[in-house]
Amino acid sequence: MVASSQRTRLLDALVELVAEHGYAGVKVGEIARTAGVSLSTFYAHFPGKEECFLEAYESVVQALMTDLGRSLAQVTTLEDGIEQAAVAYFAWFAGRPTAARTFLIEIRGAGNVALQRRAEALDQFLVVFAAALERVGRADLPPPRARLLALLGAVEALAYDRVLAGHPEQLLDLAPDAVDAAMRLLAP
């Protein structure tokens, strides 16, 4: 119980500090202090900052994928699915501005392993989206992977721009543009 609480506090502290100072600007000692644990406790949980960051990222990806999957579970049309996915994605990050800053902006400075995990997260989303297409009877639709990646890149670029400008609370305003772009990209 105590160890689990410490680990959670360390992960939360890392997300908060990286959002504030950038990945390179955060030291392990700061993470431990912010979490209210000793440096030796940090190292009892993680070999280093990168592993702590990667676990925090995995946690965010799983929570986001769960919310996306839930929002797509009841869709009946392609447009409804795209709208639900866009709203879920933007709402998730709008409600978690430090996670938005850390995992949409700062992940780019967290090294190659973090970037590989980001690519794997995009693949997970493609699987969730393909399952939604199948549920709405559009299994025939999955366009080339490059088109889906372009769509995901466009949505992420919209979010990146808004978060970088310091306005994560405005992310939901982007949903209509994201839906419009998606419908155009996915058109046969």
Side-chain angles (χ1 to χ4, degrees):
M1 179 77 162
V2 171
S4 175
S5 171
Q6 290 172 334
R7 191 175 193 90
T8 299
R9 290 195 326 261
L10 286 164
L11 294 168
D12 291 345
L14 174 123
V15 172
E16 176 186 325
L17 290 167
V18 169
E20 187 176 338
H21 303 291
Y23 181 81
V26 174
K27 306 293 180 229
V28 169
E30 291 175 278
I31 299 168
R33 271 190 301 286
T34 301
V37 302
S38 67
L39 199 54
S40 62
T41 299
F42 176 91
Y43 285 113
H45 289 279
F46 302 102
K49 178 175 75 169
E50 180 181 41
E51 292 80 9
C52 185
F53 183 90
L54 294 172
E55 185 169 319
Y57 182 66
E58 292 299 322
S59 175
V60 163
V61 167
Q62 291 313 310
L64 178 57
M65 291 301 162
T66 297
D67 282 2
L68 284 170
R70 193 176 303 124
S71 71
L72 292 172
Q74 303 302 319
V75 299
T76 57
T77 67
L78 175 64
E79 189 167 4
D80 184 40
I82 290 169
E83 184 176 349
Q84 291 300 317
V87 167
Y89 176 83
F90 291 128
W92 198 94
F93 280 116
R96 296 162 184 84
T98 55
R101 176 87 192 176
T102 298
F103 300 116
L104 294 175
I105 308 293
E106 299 301 333
I107 192 167
R108 289 162 170 82
N112 289 335
V113 175
L115 293 176
Q116 179 58 39
R117 297 282 174 84
R118 181 179 164 274
E120 291 166 5
L122 290 175
D123 285 341
Q124 285 180 2
F125 180 76
L126 293 178
V127 168
V128 169
F129 191 69
L133 288 174
E134 192 171 314
R135 269 194 305 283
V136 298
R138 295 304 305 264
D140 62 309
L141 187 65
R145 177 179 169 78
R147 202 182 308 178
L148 283 174
L149 287 174
L151 170 59
L152 293 178
V155 169
E156 187 179 44
L158 288 169
Y160 179 95
D161 183 61
R162 193 62 51 102
V163 172
L164 189 62
H167 300 291
E169 74 283 357
Q170 297 174 358
L171 284 168
L172 269 171
D173 298 343
L174 301 171
D177 289 335
V179 172
D180 181 59
M183 291 306 292
R184 291 173 190 269
L185 270 171
L186 296 176

